[in-house]
Amino acid sequence: MNATDRTPADLLRSALAADPGRPLVTFYDDATGERVELSVATFANWVAKTANLLQGDLGAGPGDRVTLLLPAHWQTAVWLLACSSVGAIADVGGDPAAADVVVSGPDSLEAARACRGERVALALRPLGGRFPQPPAGFADYAVEVPSQGDRFAPYAPVDPEDPALIVAGREFSGAEVVERARAEATGLGLTGPGSRILSSLPYDTWEGLNAGLYAALATDGSVVLCRHLESLDEEALAKRIDSERVTASARPGHHAP
């Protein structure tokens, strides 16, 4: 973390410079048994490739609205940082009809067709797998992203004061995302390097996005992002907390460190 960081993409650049090998996002899907651990370097590589796809192939730039119809997932976290890198507005769960680009999971494809701009579909399969049959009218993210460049440079400078995120009807600039993430991190139990928060909150509120991504990024911490955690019993959850060296939790009805 660097005091001059003003956008989420700045936070990621600082994390990459400081310790590229440390874990940043560990993702579990307890409906499929999937576990994926992404170091800062691996996560940043996905972000760079996705930002190149967004800026190059999809033609998005500062101020364009990218509606994300996606659950709490490691690939959603990648898209949030790719939008920040480009300067596009990440509109989480927003109206596809108002979007320049829509990014949809497999369960929201019909709604996503309301977007008259570019459409991208994510299968959300283990290991970032592609759709068996690409949905008509959509680019398959898993097909398009591997060939993108590993380094990203925006065509236009990103202004930290410009709109960067819309969630639950609230708009944030990039600078506001960073400021709030830092200010609220301690309350989540994220106190600096080595802090590790387990979050099963959905990504459809600021609280879910902060616990599941931004606060860890802002404090040199890491996140264990869990989907379908309710399928675990208390013993299995306790084992995960121990094995993943979790120091704080954010779960529905349980927001205390």
Side-chain angles (χ1 to χ4, degrees):
M1 186 175 64
N2 189 310
T4 61
D5 292 338
R6 302 284 314 286
T7 71
D10 291 341
L11 293 174
L12 182 58
R13 278 190 288 271
S14 289
L16 189 61
D19 188 359
R22 71 174 176 84
L24 179 60
V25 177
T26 304
F27 173 74
Y28 282 88
D29 186 334
D30 289 301
T32 64
E34 178 184 7
R35 179 187 183 275
V36 176
E37 182 164 286
L38 295 100
S39 66
V40 175
T42 302
F43 184 82
N45 182 253
W46 275 93
V47 169
K49 285 179 174 292
T50 304
N52 279 316
L53 173 68
L54 184 57
Q55 176 175 263
D57 294 16
L58 303 176
D64 285 335
R65 185 175 297 216
V66 180
T67 291
L68 302 179
L69 302 181
L70 298 167
H73 190 280
W74 68 266
Q75 291 188 329
T76 313
V78 165
W79 273 95
L80 288 163
L81 267 292
C83 288
S84 178
S85 301
V86 170
I89 304 166
D91 187 1
V92 179
D95 180 3
D100 299 289
V101 177
V102 67
V103 185
S104 175
D107 299 332
S108 49
L109 295 170
E110 282 310 308
R113 293 183 194 281
C115 177
R116 288 170 291 187
E118 299 286 352
R119 302 180 198 139
V120 181
L122 277 65
L124 302 179
R125 301 178 73 193
L127 305 176
R130 58 181 64 184
F131 285 92
Q133 290 291 327
F138 290 81
D140 185 339
Y141 176 65
V143 173
E144 303 298 331
V145 80
S147 62
Q148 299 292 327
D150 294 329
R151 295 178 181 275
F152 175 76
Y155 292 155
V158 176
D159 187 339
E161 302 301 334
D162 282 348
L165 174 71
I166 301 171
V167 61
R170 170 78 194 277
E171 183 178 282
F172 300 85
S173 69
E176 284 177 313
V177 171
V178 172
E179 287 159 13
R180 282 197 64 169
R182 285 174 171 156
E184 296 173 14
T186 303
L188 288 167
L190 289 163
T191 54
S195 294
R196 194 153 163 82
I197 186 168
L198 182 148
S199 177
S200 63
L201 300 180
Y203 266 5
D204 57 1
T205 64
W206 164 257
E207 290 74 20
L209 291 174
N210 198 32
L213 177 63
Y214 293 128
L217 193 58
T219 55
D220 295 329
S222 58
V223 60
V224 180
L225 186 64
C226 299
R227 192 176 180 210
H228 301 122
L229 187 69
E230 67 280 357
S231 63
L232 291 194
D233 61 26
E234 286 300 316
E235 182 181 357
L237 176 59
K239 283 183 178 176
R240 177 169 304 169
I241 287 170
D242 180 60
S243 68
E244 294 288 356
R245 303 179 305 285
V246 168
T247 60
S249 288
R251 311 198 303 273
H254 177 101
H255 298 260

